[in-house]
């Protein structure tokens, strides 16, 4: 069960974000949504986040900058990037893992669970 795990979803497409958040919340995760890099970093500074899920809707250069800053700020927090149908741009190579957004909610949940359970302690907020 996912109870007690806080996830940060970083994406700019409201429909995709809402759909993923509902799937994750139904599985027992708590989800915080950030639509901008600055909002995502603000959340990471103030909350104990178990995983960052970054949507393919974030432009590649912005995503790369965000992941670099997340690494600097909270290195132990895994970053998982959602891609569409195997299209993973080189700018996203900084991520810890990837989820194919076309494979459905079960794939999303299994990938998230794998990363959350790997890091069985939540990175503390600073």
């Amino acid at each position: 069960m996912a109870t007690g795990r806080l996830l940060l979803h970083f994406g700019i497409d409201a429909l995709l974000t809402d759909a993923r958040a509902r799937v994750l919340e139904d599985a027992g995760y708590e989800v915080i949504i950030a639509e901008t890099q600055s909002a995502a970093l603000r959340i990471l500074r103030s909350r104990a986040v178990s995983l960052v899920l970054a949507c393919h809707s974030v432009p590649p250069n912005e995503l790369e900058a965000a992941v670099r800053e997340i690494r600097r700020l909270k290195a132990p927090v895994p970053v998982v990037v959602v891609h569409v149908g195997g299209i993973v741009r080189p700018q996203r190579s900084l991520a810890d893992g990837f989820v194919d957004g076309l494979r459905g909610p079960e794939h999303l949940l299994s990938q998230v669970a794998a990363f959350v359970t790997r890091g069985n302690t939540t990175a503390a907020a600073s």
Side-chain angles (χ1 to χ4, degrees), residues 1-6 27-30 116:
M1 183 81 181
T3 304
R5 299 296 185 166
L6 179 63
Y29 295 100
E30 180 182 354
V116 168

Side-chain angles (χ1 to χ4, degrees), residues 1-77:
M1 183 81 181
T3 304
R5 299 296 185 166
L6 179 63
L7 308 181
L8 170 59
H9 186 281
F10 172 40
I12 60 175
D13 184 303
L15 291 174
L16 288 173
T17 297
D18 184 52
R20 284 196 197 107
R22 286 176 188 248
V23 167
L24 292 163
E25 288 167 347
D26 285 348
Y29 295 100
E30 180 182 354
V31 180
I32 297 177
I33 296 168
E35 296 177 350
T36 65
Q37 178 181 339
S38 62
L41 296 174
R42 190 170 37 257
I43 291 164
L44 283 171
R45 286 185 189 97
S46 64
R47 301 290 302 267
V49 173
S50 297
L51 178 134
V52 176
L53 187 64
C55 181
H56 67 277
S57 65
V58 177
N61 291 340
E62 182 180 345
L63 182 57
E64 180 180 4
V67 173
R68 285 186 192 282
E69 190 60 19
I70 290 166
R71 290 273 176 259
R72 188 189 69 70
L73 187 64
K74 296 281 185 173
V77 175

Side-chain angles (χ1 to χ4, degrees), residues 105-116:
E106 294 81 16
H107 178 65
L108 171 68
L109 291 173
S110 70
Q111 294 299 98
V112 167
F115 277 96
V116 168

